[in-house]
Amino acid sequence: MTTTKVQAYAAQSATSALAPLGITRREPGSLDVQIEILFCGICHSDVHQVRNEWSSVMPTVYPIVPGHEIVGRVTQVGAAVTKYKPGDLAAVGCLVDSDHTCPHCQAGLEQFCPNMTLTFNSPDQHLGGVTYGGYSDRIVVDERFVLRVPANLSLAGAAPLLCAGITTYSPLRRWGVTKGKKVGVVGLGGLGHMAVKFAHALGARVVVFTTSPNKKEDALRLGADKVVVSRDVNEMQKHTGSFDFILDAVSAHHDINAYINLLRPDGTITIVGAPEKPLAVSAFSLLMGRRNLSGSLIGGIAETQEMLDFSGAHNITADVEVIPIQKVNEAYERLLKSDVKFRFSIDMASLKS
Ligand code: NAP
Ligand code: ZN
């Protein structure tokens, strides 16, 4: 197979900083789209995996090139590609391949395919080794995993839709969030702030739970009807038994029972945050009120396109701080301190400088 060298940023171990590295990409095959990457969002999952915090579930193979919130421009397409041509805007999220035949793929849930390939740190079916993500100047992806970006959206702000967007949109839709529902969002980070925008656009009454009092004004601007600083026990108790749905998007260890208790009978809390260590769940929090505890993983390709189209129609993008790739290590440290409003988006042109 013919390959080319491209520039990337990679970590060599769980404790080393990200630094420049030349990597190999395949030349586009007949079904492939080659994309020049313009922006790539920084997801907290990048940090978890660079630091091998998910070692029990998906151990990190080094070097790792993270990044699964990718937007760019098509530079070349294979002979059998029908949906894209050079010059088109295109996007890639967390998935780059699946077997297309299993019941999950047939149902449009490629994220549950036993043979799916993640955008980074997943066995590479073409070149061997592992896949390399979006902190690089170019990527080659099967056209069935390439998404279309609505023309009205800013590219830097659209990039985070490819993970933070779909990961929050999917459970909101699945659990029937609409006008008249009371919805809680726990953790106003990259995912959380997208959840607020989508839940508001779907017509719900949105309450944000945050540990950061300095995010209060922003939460209201993003579409929240109310903000609760979660350390305020009195304020928390006022909401006991009142929520139809709560989305938990917290990246670190926390007491989830405090939120389960806020659900009404038959209400649902969905975990999308993926902290390193298990969360303790009180049986009583669930028994009382027959409440549901569930999880959600990104979303399938068709639903990701639906989310992008919804975002285009409602003019929804992430609130981003654009950084050059040279600032990526600093950005990781700031992300760990919840010091970003609300997503870092890397301007990939900086990789050439
Ligand atoms: P993020 O931007 O860092 O946001 C996480 C938020 O959690 C922070 O902004 C903070 O919000 C809150 N938080 C952080 N530490 C906390 C603590 N010790 N106690 C309570 N709250 C705390 O991260 P993200 O990119 O949105 O990702 C969130 C999580 O979702 C990560 O674990 C990530 O790996 C996971 N994820 C899952 C999926 C999926 O498919 N399920 C997809 C993408 C990401 P406040 O300042 O408002 O308190
Ligand atoms: Zn992500």
Side-chain angles (χ1 to χ4, degrees):
M1 170 172 288
T2 40
T3 59
T4 39
K5 277 263 174 208
V6 309
Q7 271 307 309
Y9 254 58
Q12 298 287 351
S13 79
T15 52
S16 52
L18 290 145
L21 180 75
I23 57 163
T24 302
R25 298 279 192 204
R26 67 181 186 269
E27 282 293 311
S30 65
L31 264 176
D32 285 335
V33 177
Q34 183 191 64
I35 298 165
E36 179 197 4
I37 301 174
L38 299 176
F39 291 94
C40 183
I42 297 181
C43 178
H44 207 116
S45 303
D46 301 353
V47 183
H48 288 305
Q49 290 192 78
V50 161
R51 301 189 175 185
N52 202 16
E53 290 172 358
W54 294 346
S55 58
S56 59
V57 190
M58 43 173 95
T60 302
V61 176
Y62 295 94
I64 179 174
V65 177
H68 56 205
E69 295 185 334
I70 299 167
V71 295
R73 203 168 283 286
V74 175
T75 43
Q76 205 183 316
V77 298
V81 168
T82 56
K83 291 192 293 183
Y84 297 92
K85 58 178 190 319
D88 286 352
L89 287 175
V92 179
C94 302
L95 300 169
V96 289
D97 209 355
S98 69
D99 64 24
H100 304 286
T101 55
C102 77
H104 307 299
C105 285
Q106 305 278 302
L109 297 168
E110 295 88 352
Q111 72 271 36
F112 305 132
C113 170
N115 300 305
M116 60 94 161
T117 306
L118 294 166
T119 304
F120 65 88
N121 196 40
S122 206
D124 187 323
Q125 309 300 334
H126 301 268
L127 298 176
V130 290
T131 50
Y132 294 130
Y135 297 8
S136 64
D137 54 13
R138 199 194 278 185
I139 193 165
V140 177
V141 179
D142 183 313
E143 78 162 327
R144 291 169 289 187
F145 290 83
V146 178
L147 287 308
R148 218 166 258 296
V149 187
N152 58 313
L153 301 182
S154 97
L155 294 185
L161 296 175
L162 277 299
C163 176
I166 183 60
T167 302
T168 52
Y169 179 86
S170 183
L172 291 172
R173 295 308 302 263
R174 172 169 167 74
W175 293 99
V177 166
T178 49
K179 196 165 163 43
K181 303 278 180 180
K182 186 175 174 186
V183 171
V185 175
V186 188
L188 196 63
L191 267 57
H193 97 291
M194 290 312 310
V196 172
K197 292 189 184 202
F198 286 135
H200 176 75
L202 291 166
R205 179 171 140 66
V206 184
V207 180
V208 165
F209 295 95
T210 180
T211 59
S212 309
N214 70 331
K215 292 182 182 172
K216 219 167 170 170
E217 291 305 312
D218 294 286
L220 296 170
R221 176 182 53 80
L222 295 168
D225 297 282
K226 187 155 181 56
V227 185
V228 175
V229 176
S230 50
R231 295 197 170 106
D232 183 338
V233 178
N234 284 340
E235 206 41 46
M236 289 287 284
Q237 272 169 1
K238 283 187 196 159
H239 294 272
T240 300
S242 68
F243 282 89
D244 296 287
F245 179 75
I246 296 177
L247 192 76
D248 183 336
V250 174
S251 54
H253 199 74
H254 61 290
D255 176 19
I256 192 173
N257 302 295
Y259 300 101
I260 298 176
N261 292 333
L262 304 186
L263 293 171
R264 64 161 174 70
D266 286 329
T268 297
I269 185 165
T270 295
I271 298 177
V272 287
E276 181 176 4
K277 300 215 167 66
L279 301 171
V281 176
S282 152
F284 285 95
S285 298
L286 292 172
L287 305 183
M288 304 292 189
R290 201 171 61 181
R291 293 150 167 154
N292 304 301
L293 170 62
S294 74
S296 195
L297 180 73
I298 48 175
I301 294 299
E303 194 177 38
T304 304
Q305 189 62 61
E306 178 190 310
M307 176 277 308
L308 285 165
D309 296 343
F310 180 91
S311 299
H314 293 263
N315 226 338
I316 291 174
T317 51
D319 285 24
V320 291
E321 179 177 336
V322 176
I323 58 160
I325 187 80
Q326 291 79 6
K327 289 246 160 114
V328 70
N329 294 300
E330 197 181 303
Y332 275 27
E333 291 309 318
R334 286 182 51 198
L335 190 61
L336 289 168
K337 290 187 239 153
S338 304
D339 175 25
V340 54
K341 289 179 175 174
F342 281 91
R343 197 60 143 186
F344 289 111
S345 187
I346 307 169
D347 180 349
M348 232 18 103
S350 60
L351 195 53
K352 298 184 179 77
S353 63

